[in-house]
Amino acid sequence: MAKQPDPRPPLQRALETAAGLKPGTWESVEALAVLAIEAKDLPDGARLLASARTAADGLKPGTWESVRALAWLARADRELDGA
C-alpha cells in the first residue's frame, strides 16, 4: 500500500519538522536560517531567526559544517533586516 501524500504546504511541513531538530547542531542552525529566509514575510520569520541565533551558540568551532551553518545564519540576518 502506497503512503498517502501529505496535503499540507511544504513550508508548514518544514516548520513542524524543524521543531524536532536537536538544538545547537549545525543542522538545526542551517535549517532554521533557511526557514527564516523563506518565512521572512510571515510572523514566524523573526522567531525562526532568533531560534537559529540561539542554536548557533552551541556550534562546534572549527568545522566546515559550522561555517556553512553560520553563513546561512548571516544570510538570514541580512535578508530579514531588509524585510
Side-chain angles (χ1 to χ4, degrees):
M1 180 171 207
K3 183 179 177 184
Q4 295 295 321
D6 191 334
R8 297 174 300 154
L11 181 57
Q12 183 181 358
R13 292 172 22 213
L15 290 169
E16 183 179 296
T17 302
L21 293 172
K22 182 179 176 184
T25 64
W26 69 268
E27 294 98 335
S28 66
V29 175
E30 187 171 324
L32 291 166
V34 169
L35 281 171
I37 293 167
E38 183 61 30
K40 73 179 180 179
D41 296 327
L42 302 173
D44 284 330
R47 179 187 59 78
L48 290 164
L49 182 58
S51 294
R53 287 179 181 141
T54 300
D57 290 341
L59 288 175
K60 180 179 177 183
T63 66
W64 71 267
E65 295 96 343
S66 293
V67 171
R68 180 180 161 134
L70 290 170
W72 274 109
L73 181 56
R75 181 173 176 186
D77 273 330
R78 186 175 63 252
E79 293 209 17
L80 269 71
D81 275 346

